[in-house]
Amino acid sequence: FFLSFFFFLLLGILGEDALLPAPQNISILSINMKHFLTWSPVIVQGETVRYSVEFQGEYEREYANESWIPICECSLITATVCNMTEDISATVAYNLRVRADVGARRSEWGTLKGFFNRITTSLTPPLMKVIADGYHLLVELEDMGPAFQFCVLYWKKGQESRMQQKVVKEVSSVVHLDTMEAGPDYCVKAQTYVETINRSSSFSQTQCVRAQGGRSMLLVTALISSVGFAVAALTLPFLTWKTSKILTLKVSEPPPQLILCGSEEAEQCDLMVHVMPSEEVLQLWIQ
């Protein structure tokens, strides 16, 4: 019994370094040209486990005796993820590996199964916002980094066969696409493009807007028409009455000499019409 106990105790002391397990479940997550190596944590009771990551590119394999390059930002870290975006700088196959450290003890290297090439990165459509600034069709695109360009398609709704395209190489502010007509909707969708890997994402969801000025002008026109009709309806009777009063001719009383006319001359006698001067017309209008 005692011999067995000391045997296993001695084996544990001597084999302590070899018993530190290597990281498992090593995988890489790559989205929009950002690359992250992840792995499962190594559990050592009462100890803080640290990790170190290295990579090997095509040059190191073929021209540098299969050497490995450590990633400074991922040396003796406690996290189980390493951002390798800056180190994966070429479109070639990379080997990736990670090791666990506890004090002076180290594990074996855990290696990613297969190679990683950034050409396999997942590309997502850009976040965008379509804006109608009066009659101007604008689009605001997400800044995804210097490697990204954007292909923007826009068209008048119902005229998809006449779709237009604009390539945006730098995102600094909103991009002017077109001058809209009043009335119809204008629609926009976009996709990302990365020249270094010659790949594009799928298109974003279509967004449609309408010229703001068109609706405003219609409302203003309708309002002015309504006010004009109301004013005309209220003032027309008054104007009609005033006009008839002013245009009424004032017939003067028969002068004395008209009474002296004989019956035979009566048919030749006319009533004398008195035309009002302009001052009297003005006075009647005021009254």
Side-chain angles (χ1 to χ4, degrees):
F1 173 78
F2 289 104
L3 290 176
S4 299
F5 174 76
F6 283 112
F7 173 77
F8 284 109
L9 180 61
L10 182 62
L11 181 63
I13 294 173
L14 295 177
E16 190 176 24
D17 292 344
L19 291 177
L20 190 62
Q24 302 294 319
N25 302 318
I26 302 171
S27 62
I28 189 157
L29 176 65
S30 179
I31 300 177
N32 293 329
M33 299 295 284
K34 294 180 174 59
H35 322 297
F36 300 88
L37 188 70
T38 66
W39 56 90
S40 298
V42 174
I43 306 298
V44 178
Q45 295 296 331
E47 299 286 352
T48 299
V49 181
R50 298 181 181 274
Y51 307 94
S52 297
V53 179
E54 295 181 348
F55 72 91
Q56 182 187 79
E58 184 179 63
Y59 178 84
E60 289 75 29
R61 281 194 308 273
E62 298 185 6
Y63 305 104
N65 299 321
E66 297 186 350
S67 59
W68 291 79
I69 299 178
I71 298 177
C72 297
E73 295 80 7
C74 299
S75 178
L76 298 177
I77 60 174
T78 57
T80 58
V81 59
C82 172
N83 186 349
M84 307 188 67
T85 303
E86 297 300 323
D87 301 280
I88 307 296
S89 57
T91 310
V92 298
Y94 285 85
N95 277 326
L96 307 171
R97 67 183 187 179
V98 58
R99 180 180 63 194
D101 293 84
V102 176
R105 293 177 290 165
R106 291 180 173 179
S107 73
E108 296 291 333
W109 288 99
T111 306
L112 178 71
K113 293 181 179 179
F115 295 104
F116 169 70
N117 192 320
R118 68 181 185 178
I119 199 172
T120 62
T121 190
S122 297
L123 297 178
T124 63
L127 297 177
M128 71 170 190
K129 181 181 180 182
V130 180
I131 305 168
D133 184 7
Y135 288 93
H136 299 288
L137 179 62
L138 310 175
V139 63
E140 185 176 353
L141 295 164
E142 171 190 12
D143 187 356
M144 300 177 68
F148 286 82
Q149 301 178 19
F150 304 93
C151 175
V152 182
L153 300 181
Y154 57 97
W155 65 95
K156 187 188 297 184
K157 195 170 185 179
Q159 298 184 9
E160 285 75 6
S161 60
R162 301 176 63 182
M163 194 175 292
Q164 299 184 67
Q165 175 180 307
K166 188 179 187 71
V167 176
V168 181
K169 295 186 176 181
E170 294 183 3
V171 177
S172 56
S173 60
V174 294
V175 179
H176 182 270
L177 298 177
D178 201 0
T179 300
M180 298 183 287
E181 299 175 0
D185 289 342
Y186 285 75
C187 300
V188 181
K189 63 180 180 179
Q191 67 176 172
T192 57
Y193 172 71
V194 181
E195 187 176 10
T196 54
I197 61 174
N198 194 27
R199 284 187 53 218
S200 301
S201 72
S202 59
F203 277 96
S204 64
Q205 292 291 325
T206 300
Q207 297 182 31
C208 299
V209 294
R210 182 176 297 180
Q212 295 178 346
R215 183 177 298 178
S216 300
M217 289 301 296
L218 289 175
L219 291 175
V220 170
T221 303
L223 181 60
I224 293 176
S225 300
S226 300
V227 172
F229 178 78
V231 171
L234 292 174
T235 58
L236 186 58
F238 176 76
L239 290 174
T240 303
W241 175 77
K242 272 293 184 182
T243 303
S244 62
K245 183 177 179 181
I246 293 174
L247 295 180
T248 300
L249 297 179
K250 183 177 180 182
V251 180
S252 61
E253 294 181 358
Q257 62 269 27
L258 184 63
I259 301 175
L260 299 178
C261 293
S263 58
E264 64 278 8
E265 298 177 351
E267 294 180 357
Q268 300 177 3
C269 295
D270 295 328
L271 293 177
M272 294 181 65
V273 178
H274 177 67
V275 180
M276 293 187 299
S278 58
E279 293 82 0
E280 191 172 349
V281 171
L282 179 61
Q283 184 176 3
L284 287 174
W285 174 262
I286 297 174
Q287 294 175 355

